[in-house]
Amino acid sequence: MHLFQKIINLGVLPETGSANRHFIRITNMVNLLFICAVSIPLTIAITILTDDGAKSYGRCILLLLFSIISLFLNASRHYSLAKIITSVTPAFSLIIFPIFISNFIHAGMFLWIPYAFMVLGIIPFLIFSLEKEKIFLFPIVGLYITFILTFDEFLIKHFHSLPDLDFIKKYYVYYLLAKIIITAFLYSSFTFFKYILQKSQQDLLRLSTELDKQNQSLSVLNATLEKKVAERTEKLTLQNDRIKNLAYTNAHEIRAYIARIIGLISLSKHDIPPHEKEFCDTKIEENISDLEKITQKLSKELIEER
């Protein structure tokens, strides 16, 4: 199981976009299906049930070889070439090559070959991205449509000895009309499916882009908020320092002056000599003057802080 996962993820790189990863994996899965469900089982069945020789083995070997080449091209990052080979190989190795190598055709082939081309023509829809590889998708699908509508007529003109085709010739117009209607319905349905898939991918990409932009906006907003918080914290720290300084000034300097003034006033109320009373008054005036200077200084600091 681990080996299958490694094969399916061949060519998928970390830098590969999600849409491209999807189509690369589908290409690898188709080639793995050709190898494990078609080439090998057909080879075993031919070996057991028939003795047809190289002609019967040829288609299996071709399909196996081209499938391995496609896987190798995907692993080598030649994605478009791998998809082209994967799209064209089934029609060539399973239908065109066996018919022309054996130079044989029977009436039933006229009935199943167009529908085989219809089914195989779906492969390009599965492995090509409409928005990036239209130049490859439309020619390959056009090739399959050409096979569907004209391959039986080509067989009639190419082969000299044909089986009884009266029942086909009798209803050929209805048969051709049925092929056209079925082909148009089938491929238009898958085109619509691819359009819906592409639209969904575009919507997802748009939502992803919007989310990235919102995340970038949130990152810028967070950075701005962090800066504002840092500035606010710094400002609050400065304010706290100033408050501490004011508290220190109030607790020591102002209260000291007030205590001295109160003490001098209390002293001057007692009966003391005139010269001592004059000395107390002078000291009171000095302390009041010094106290006024301190209060003016504090007022100036408070104004500057605002």
Side-chain angles (χ1 to χ4, degrees), residues 263-278 280:
L264 289 169
I265 291 172
S266 177
L267 182 63
S268 64
K269 288 180 178 180
H270 292 82
D271 292 332
I272 56 176
H275 67 279
E276 291 182 359
K277 185 175 178 63
E278 184 179 355
C280 288

Coordinates of all heavy atoms in Angstrom, one line a residue, residues 263-278 280:
G263 N 6.2 74.6 64.8 CA 7.0 74.6 66.1 C 7.5 76.1 66.4 O 7.4 76.5 67.5
L264 N 7.9 76.8 65.3 CA 8.3 78.2 65.5 C 7.1 79.1 66.0 O 7.3 80.0 66.8 CB 8.9 78.8 64.2 CG 10.3 78.2 63.9 CD1 10.7 78.6 62.4 CD2 11.3 78.7 64.9
I265 N 5.9 78.9 65.4 CA 4.7 79.6 65.8 C 4.4 79.3 67.2 O 4.1 80.3 68.0 CB 3.5 79.3 64.9 CG1 3.8 79.9 63.4 CG2 2.3 79.9 65.4 CD1 2.8 79.4 62.4
S266 N 4.4 78.0 67.6 CA 4.1 77.7 68.9 C 5.1 78.3 69.9 O 4.8 78.7 71.0 CB 4.2 76.1 69.1 OG 4.0 75.7 70.4
L267 N 6.4 78.4 69.5 CA 7.4 79.0 70.4 C 7.2 80.5 70.5 O 7.4 81.0 71.6 CB 8.8 78.7 69.8 CG 10.0 79.2 70.6 CD1 10.1 78.5 71.9 CD2 11.3 78.9 69.8
S268 N 6.8 81.1 69.4 CA 6.7 82.6 69.5 C 5.5 83.0 70.4 O 5.4 84.2 70.8 CB 6.6 83.2 68.1 OG 5.4 82.7 67.5
K269 N 4.6 82.1 70.6 CA 3.4 82.5 71.5 C 3.8 82.5 73.0 O 3.0 83.1 73.7 CB 2.3 81.4 71.3 CG 1.6 81.5 69.9 CD 0.6 80.5 69.8 CE -0.2 80.6 68.4 NZ -1.2 79.6 68.3
H270 N 4.9 81.9 73.3 CA 5.3 82.0 74.7 C 6.0 83.3 75.0 O 6.4 84.1 74.1 CB 6.2 80.8 75.0 CG 5.5 79.5 74.9 ND1 5.3 78.8 73.8 CD2 5.0 78.7 75.9 CE1 4.7 77.7 74.0 NE2 4.5 77.6 75.3
D271 N 6.1 83.6 76.3 CA 6.8 84.8 76.7 C 8.3 84.6 76.5 O 9.0 83.9 77.2 CB 6.6 85.1 78.2 CG 5.1 85.5 78.4 OD1 4.5 86.0 77.4 OD2 4.6 85.2 79.5
I272 N 8.8 85.2 75.4 CA 10.2 85.1 75.1 C 10.7 86.5 74.8 O 10.0 87.4 74.5 CB 10.5 84.2 73.9 CG1 9.7 84.7 72.7 CG2 10.1 82.7 74.2 CD1 10.0 83.9 71.4
P273 N 12.0 86.7 75.0 CA 12.6 88.0 74.7 C 12.3 88.5 73.3 O 12.1 87.6 72.4 CB 14.1 87.8 74.9 CG 14.2 86.6 75.8 CD 13.1 85.7 75.5
P274 N 12.3 89.8 73.1 CA 11.9 90.3 71.8 C 12.9 89.8 70.7 O 12.4 89.6 69.5 CB 12.0 91.8 71.9 CG 11.8 92.1 73.4 CD 12.3 90.9 74.1
H275 N 14.2 89.8 71.0 CA 15.1 89.4 69.9 C 14.9 87.9 69.5 O 15.0 87.5 68.3 CB 16.6 89.6 70.4 CG 17.0 88.7 71.5 ND1 16.7 88.9 72.8 CD2 17.7 87.5 71.4 CE1 17.2 88.0 73.5 NE2 17.9 87.1 72.7
E276 N 14.5 87.0 70.4 CA 14.2 85.6 70.1 C 12.9 85.5 69.3 O 12.7 84.7 68.3 CB 14.0 84.8 71.4 CG 15.4 84.6 72.1 CD 15.3 83.7 73.3 OE1 14.1 83.3 73.6 OE2 16.3 83.4 73.9
K277 N 11.9 86.4 69.7 CA 10.6 86.4 68.9 C 10.9 86.9 67.5 O 10.3 86.3 66.5 CB 9.6 87.4 69.6 CG 8.3 87.4 69.0 CD 7.3 88.2 69.8 CE 5.9 88.3 69.2 NZ 5.3 87.0 69.2
E278 N 11.8 87.9 67.3 CA 12.1 88.4 66.0 C 12.8 87.3 65.2 O 12.6 87.1 64.0 CB 13.0 89.6 66.1 CG 13.3 90.2 64.8 CD 14.2 91.4 64.9 OE1 14.4 91.9 66.1 OE2 14.6 92.0 63.9
C280 N 12.3 84.0 65.6 CA 11.3 83.0 65.2 C 10.5 83.5 64.0 O 10.3 82.7 63.1 CB 10.4 82.8 66.4 SG 11.2 81.8 67.7

